[in-house]
Amino acid sequence: MIQTITITGIKDFEADHIFECGQCFRWNVEDGKYVGVAGGYVARVSYEDGILTLETTGGDEKFWSHYFDLETDYSAIKSDIISKEPKIEKACNEGYGIRILNQDKFETLISFIVSQNNNIPRIKKCIESICEHYGEYLGEVFGKKRYAFPTVDALADASICDLADLKLGYRCEYIVASAQQYRKEGAPTTYDQILSYHGIGPKVANCILLFGLHRVDAFPIDTWVKHIMNDMYGFSEKDVKGMAAFATEKYGQYAGYAQQYLFHYYRNVKFT
DNA sequence: CGGCAGGCGGTTA
DNA sequence: TAACCGCCTGCC
């Protein structure tokens, strides 16, 4: 059963920008609108003239409002980072509707383990496969079978051999070990704690900080960001430390937002 | 066929 | 602590 939620007076929202800036893997265009699963609910999203419309199997306005980070003033954020770094203005204008979602911590942690040394279409495929095999079946919604992201227990108790059938490669053991650590310790709260997971290094840890824990000062440096920092500022692509220090100094507490605008710009506009 | 894709762990010097 | 190397898999 589908309910419709409409939220009005929303600025700085563009589904394309939100879902194509590298933060999530379970939202895809179906018949012209984005459909995805979050918090165990299926939703179809549309936005026009300040009105956000969600056709969903569950979750109240409060849940979705928080998920889409609607309480945050992105115009103010853009002004702030542009004032600190005018060179970012074009990227902010191109990706004007970006928002950093408030995603589930465990889902984010596992998803970014899957992302390592991998490309986006295959990451999405792998995660859907994990959901189909280990997640709760949510029914047929908008013409497709839908599945929730698995619980911590479901993945902690999964066998590495069975996961291997999902073509996850060497990431299988990371996934099971991480789910077990998460079950034992609870959700991580610091960078060092995230880094202590087997199979999580600096890049993935920063993604989990930013996208899972909403630590908007985190600045994940992947190969794209390396290209960007090289192109914009002349950094050697090996100088990850230099880039990280520069980002903190240049963008400060909003480095994560800056990363998203730049990533989106280079990924979807400049290099296409 | 080698190279690479939103890296990481392990081993070397 | 920096520089390599191998790695599951799929697609050029």
Side-chain angles (χ1 to χ4, degrees):
Chain A
M1 156 120 166
I2 303 294
Q3 56 166 321
T4 300
I5 298 171
T6 57
I7 306 175
T8 58
I10 306 302
K11 294 189 304 173
D12 306 304
F13 189 107
E14 183 61 53
D16 266 346
H17 299 169
I18 293 168
F19 297 129
E20 306 298 340
C21 67
Q23 61 177 323
C24 56
F25 303 104
R26 299 205 68 199
W27 292 88
N28 294 293
V29 174
E30 297 177 17
D31 298 327
K33 289 179 183 173
Y34 276 93
V35 178
V37 182
Y41 310 121
V42 185
R44 183 159 65 188
V45 178
S46 47
Y47 174 86
E48 200 174 358
D49 299 330
I51 301 167
L52 174 62
T53 304
L54 301 164
E55 300 163 87
T56 170
T57 58
D60 55 11
E61 179 173 333
K62 191 182 168 195
F63 170 84
W64 290 108
S65 183
H66 183 247
Y67 182 77
F68 285 106
D69 202 31
L70 300 181
E71 56 269 20
T72 299
D73 182 351
Y74 279 77
S75 296
I77 288 163
K78 282 179 273 190
S79 301
D80 183 88
I81 56 179
I82 291 167
S83 72
K84 287 175 180 156
E85 172 53 304
K87 285 173 78 171
I88 207 174
E89 182 167 9
K90 194 166 170 55
C92 289
N93 291 338
E94 292 286 350
Y96 57 86
I98 287 174
R99 291 176 164 271
I100 297 182
L101 300 168
N102 285 290
Q103 301 185 76
D104 179 77
K105 294 180 178 65
F106 180 66
E107 175 174 345
T108 306
L109 189 144
I110 298 298
S111 296
F112 279 90
I113 289 174
V114 174
S115 81
Q116 70 180 70
N117 199 17
N118 213 339
N119 57 58
I120 293 173
R122 208 170 83 82
I123 296 166
K124 288 186 167 185
K125 215 174 185 178
C126 287
I127 291 173
E128 281 315 305
S129 183
I130 290 172
C131 294
E132 283 169 25
H133 287 83
Y134 296 94
E136 184 192 350
Y137 177 56
L138 302 173
E140 188 160 324
V141 185
F142 305 131
K144 271 181 153 177
K145 292 189 190 319
R146 311 287 176 177
Y147 299 85
F149 194 84
T151 62
V152 177
D153 284 335
L155 288 183
D157 295 333
S159 91
I160 293 172
C161 295
D162 290 343
L163 274 173
D165 292 341
L166 310 186
K167 311 294 178 192
L168 296 162
Y170 58 87
R171 304 166 192 84
C172 292
E173 54 182 294
Y174 298 159
I175 292 169
V176 174
S178 295
Q180 289 173 355
Q181 183 173 350
Y182 192 102
R183 175 163 68 183
K184 194 173 161 202
E185 299 178 355
T189 57
T190 66
Y191 177 79
D192 287 342
Q193 215 175 335
I194 298 169
L195 206 55
S196 77
Y197 279 71
H198 189 55
I200 297 181
K203 188 271 173 182
V204 168
N206 275 304
C207 286
I208 294 165
L209 266 189
L210 178 57
F211 304 130
L213 277 63
H214 212 80
R215 274 276 306 279
V216 296
D217 58 322
F219 190 78
I221 301 174
D222 56 36
T223 55
W224 282 93
V225 175
K226 288 175 189 170
H227 297 329
I228 293 166
M229 297 301 276
N230 171 262
D231 187 64
M232 284 182 74
Y233 303 110
F235 274 96
S236 157
E237 300 209 359
K238 291 187 294 183
D239 186 15
V240 177
K241 261 182 111 171
M243 295 176 193
F246 177 86
T248 300
E249 193 196 321
K250 196 76 176 173
Y251 310 122
Q253 59 174 338
Y254 291 156
Y257 296 113
Q259 195 266 17
Q260 288 292 275
Y261 290 114
L262 289 172
F263 184 92
H264 177 271
Y265 176 59
Y266 274 80
R267 210 46 239 266
N268 300 296
V269 183
K270 190 164 180 189
F271 286 170
T272 52

